[in-house]
Amino acid sequence: MEKCFYCGNPIGEDERTCRFCGADQKAYRMIKASSEKEYNEGLVKARAHDLSGAIESLNRSVRYNKRNVKARDLLGLVYMKYGEPVLALREWVIAKNFDPEDELADRYLNSVSEDAGLFEKIDNAAKKFNTAYKYARAKAFDLATLELKAVVKENPGMVKARQLLALIYIQGGEYSKAYTELKAAQKVDESNPLTTRYMKETRSHLVSDKKKKKKERTERRSTIAINDGHDVVLMPRQTFIEAIDNSKSGLFNILIGIAIGILAFVFLVSPTMKQRENEETRKALITANSTSASSKSDVAELKKQVEELNTKLEKYEGQSDVKGSYEDLLKAQDQAGSEDSNDDASKTLSKANSSLLGKNGQKLYKTLTEQIDKQTLVTSYQEGETAFARRQYDDAIKALEKVVDIDDSYDNGEAMYKLAQAYENSGDKENALKYYQKVAKDYARYYRGRNSARKVTQLESQ
């Protein structure tokens, strides 16, 4: 039975005033109905992962009716998911005081008390976040980033820590890293207005950077740089037909002539020479075999001749790879023009034998290698960061190893530092220690170097 809000005596559901104290119950019932309405809205928002909206609705619910125990229980759960366990405990304790028989509050409080290290984690995370906030206010962004990474590692659901970390990345122009942190925050609270605002700004910069890179690639493909000894002149890149028809493209025609000469050698001269050498070798072998019984000295001399002829034969037979190496080189050049086929270009180029190429072929081989490595650095580093943020450490190791093998100083050592962290998180202590030691040595002045030195001490003592 319902009780009077003023005197606490029982009243009927149809009674508008208390028969004991005369208090009007209409306004009280309207307030309770408003509290229930806000509770229902908060429940819907919590199920839709709109935690900030749920917190706002549930706080209004308990403000209308402080004894609404089920609203406080749900508010505590939302706070816990939002990364605010202290506020969650407060709501459950208040609910328990209003209703000592509240089974939900009992269950939640017992689950927290059974986790012996939870309060220590809560305290450490709160202290680190406050320290990071002070560092950020003092513009010590490296130290703030280090503290915030530790916070989100201990408490992944702490939205405000990820927001502050993303803001620091935006300040430093590291928009891809900011985007990763904001996506993680959105998984916890999809409709958080601050996260949405930061995400909008980050996306605008990422789109702008993508357009700028696309424009630069287009300009590089449409122009060619010529160094005349004093200045570098940019000229429009000519097509094959334009280069042949243009009277000023003498150098290009010379290169075409060299290529035709190489192909003529491969297809016409080389087979004839190879056949001739094979015939000479066979004749020499027949002669050597027919005179082998003459004397021991003759046998030794013939063996020497056979070895020399076989060596010469192998030399000419090796020329058969020249054609295949040039074909792989040209195929890799076509594939390298597209980002999507960068891996295919790298595999094709690895098949080409650079020692069999001429001067111009080796020059093109070197240019393609540098171009493919440069693109591999960008794509593999992005893949490694994404996999690391998703805790897919095996994929992160695979991608970041490509980066470090090409350039172990990439992103000022950040790639090698992340590779060490990925090895540590995957349980590979030996490789983690190897890369932490190198980062600590090469980047001792930076936060990643100092942190790596601490990691080396920690891993060696285990």
Side-chain angles (χ1 to χ4, degrees), residues 255 258 262 326 329 354-367:
L255 294 176
I258 292 173
I262 292 173
Y326 271 99
L329 183 65
S354 61
S355 63
L356 299 179
L357 302 175
K359 183 177 179 181
N360 292 319
Q362 289 181 350
K363 184 177 179 181
L364 178 58
Y365 182 93
K366 180 179 178 182
T367 302

Side-chain angles (χ1 to χ4, degrees), residues 230-242:
H230 300 284
D231 298 315
V232 177
V233 181
L234 294 178
M235 297 184 64
R237 186 182 296 272
Q238 294 177 320
T239 64
F240 181 80
I241 301 300
E242 290 173 344

